[in-house]
Amino acid sequence: MKKILSLGLAAVLAASLTACGGSSSSETTTAAAAETEAAAEETEAAEDAPAEAADSDAAFKIGMIGPLTGGAAAYGLGVRNAAELAIAEVNAAGGINGYQVEYSAQDDEHDAEKCVNAYNTLKDWGMQMLIGAVTSKPCIAVSAETAADNMFQITPSGSAVECIAEDNVFRVCFSDPDQGKASAQYIADNNLATKIGVIYDSSTEYSTGILESFQAEAEAQGLEIVAEEAFTADNATDFSVQIDNCREAGAELMFMPFYYTEASTVLKQCADKDYKPIFFGVDGMDGILTVENFDASLAEGVMLLTPFSADEDSSKDFVEAYQAAYGEVPNQFAADAYDAVYAIKAAAEQANVTPDMEISDICEAMKVAMTEITIDGLTGTGMTWNASGEPEKAPKAAMIVDGAYVMQ
């Protein structure tokens, strides 16, 4: 069972970080327990390690790719930090199969081409397994590369169907269709509204994928979509027309399957127009309270489909360790990444892989082991994975109340 990182180790980790904030340059850190209390934990863990000692020079090399700068940086930084935190815990507890883990994080700026460049940088470093990419379009691009190399990949948050089209790729989050379907079911089951207005980003697979399954399930649930308004990345600053059309159509609830930056603009412009429907988003909404110069009171009552809340009792130890190390509250993407590391650990130990194995051999063993493990994580208890790479866990929703996510 995983052991939450002590605040002492979190403090050591925080002091050792090479770059806690965003940077346009690539970032590499070696996540290992180092001193004081961490060293004591390593000693204790070593007593329970396999009798056959691991080669002290060998280590697993795990890479991470995501947006560490730019408009989606809240996602990538959360993933980078939480994976680093979890790997530090794993190393402090004796590593994976007795071997330590080295970790390198690379910035893709939420860009598919830069994601592939980051992958090649990590390959040159010697990466054996990949956490990422964080957002869908870059994840789709890099998945083609890992498939060609038969390298094991687990994305914390790449939710487009195509992200895990290859059999070497797994994910922690729900897929876009699952999010859209679950959102419609939740709205209907809780009688939130019958007339729905939708604003979506037609330029991303993420938003359009969620919309398609939402449409189908809304019809099955007897919900009426009275307005369906698109925008693209090129015109994501003025939503006046979309908002007016939703209001004129009598939408009682606005479904918003897109990212938090644009969502903050929609909420501000709705407030300016004194339009107050119920706002309902999905995992891309997570991060809205961190938008610079955004009046967080405008998000009061916003609902989102999310498997994690930093305010849950079950998240307390993780949140305290994360805050001690990075000085901020972790988001859902951080929780996804934390679970991804422990899924890697569980599968690698189930398959008894070692860092001296060929990358392809590690991948083949991990593909089987991922379907055999069960973990209790931050984003779900009793989580399992099927051979298609999809997680199986119960969906949950949260409401923003007084600046906090309250699970419903």
Side-chain angles (χ1 to χ4, degrees), residues 224-287:
E224 182 184 2
I225 298 177
V226 296
E228 194 173 286
E229 304 295 321
F231 69 92
T232 68
D234 295 330
N235 59 10
T237 56
D238 184 357
F239 297 91
S240 297
V241 173
Q242 293 93 330
I243 292 169
D244 287 344
N245 288 344
C246 286
R247 178 164 56 182
E248 290 169 7
E252 307 157 330
L253 181 147
M254 184 180 291
F255 183 55
M256 305 164 66
F258 47 89
Y259 296 129
Y260 65 92
T261 304
E262 293 87 352
S264 68
T265 304
V266 171
L267 293 179
K268 173 64 168 61
Q269 292 177 4
C270 281
D272 290 343
K273 293 174 176 289
D274 197 31
Y275 178 42
K276 301 176 181 178
I278 297 169
F279 296 101
F280 196 103
V282 287
D283 61 2
M285 185 76 76
D286 196 3

Side-chain angles (χ1 to χ4, degrees), residues 5-20 29-35 38 80-89 103 321-322 324-326:
L5 182 68
S6 70
L7 295 184
L9 179 55
V12 172
L13 178 61
S16 67
L17 296 180
T18 57
C20 192
T29 59
T30 298
E35 301 162 350
R80 181 200 66 179
N81 294 346
E84 183 172 61
L85 189 68
I87 288 171
E89 288 181 23
Y103 175 62
Y322 190 98
Y326 305 104

Side-chain angles (χ1 to χ4, degrees), residues 128-206:
Q128 297 165 301
M129 291 183 272
L130 173 64
I131 298 172
V134 172
T135 50
S136 287
K137 187 171 287 187
C139 188
I140 293 168
V142 81
S143 294
E145 303 297 319
T146 62
D149 294 330
N150 201 29
M151 180 184 293
F152 179 78
Q153 177 183 349
I154 183 167
T155 171
S157 47
S159 55
V161 172
E162 296 85 353
C163 287
I164 63 168
E166 306 291 347
D167 66 0
N168 64 303
V169 189
F170 292 75
R171 67 169 138 229
V172 176
C173 68
F174 287 118
S175 69
D176 294 341
D178 285 345
Q179 288 199 73
K181 181 177 180 179
S183 295
Q185 290 174 339
Y186 189 91
I187 291 167
D189 290 346
N190 291 275
N191 299 312
L192 297 183
T194 56
K195 294 186 176 182
I196 314 296
V198 178
I199 297 179
Y200 71 102
D201 183 352
S202 62
S203 62
T204 68
E205 294 89 348
Y206 172 75

Side-chain angles (χ1 to χ4, degrees), residues 37 64 177 295 310 320 370 373 375:
E37 182 180 348
M64 172 267 167
D295 180 359
E320 288 180 353
M370 281 293 294
I373 62 171
I375 68 170

Side-chain angles (χ1 to χ4, degrees), residues 334-372:
D336 286 334
Y338 188 87
D339 286 352
V341 170
Y342 277 99
I344 287 175
K345 174 178 167 60
E349 292 179 346
Q350 172 73 13
N352 197 31
V353 299
T354 56
D356 59 346
M357 293 170 59
E358 295 293 330
I359 287 173
S360 182
D361 292 338
I362 291 174
C363 185
E364 288 301 313
M366 292 287 287
K367 286 191 287 188
V368 175
M370 281 293 294
T371 67
E372 299 172 341

Side-chain angles (χ1 to χ4, degrees), residues 65-73 75-76 106-115 133-139 201 203-206 233 259 262:
I65 302 174
L68 307 181
T69 57
Y75 303 148
Q106 296 289 321
D107 187 4
D108 67 12
E109 300 177 44
H110 186 41
D111 179 89
E113 182 177 352
K114 290 177 180 177
C115 187
V134 172
T135 50
S136 287
K137 187 171 287 187
C139 188
D201 183 352
S203 62
T204 68
E205 294 89 348
Y206 172 75
Y259 296 129
E262 293 87 352

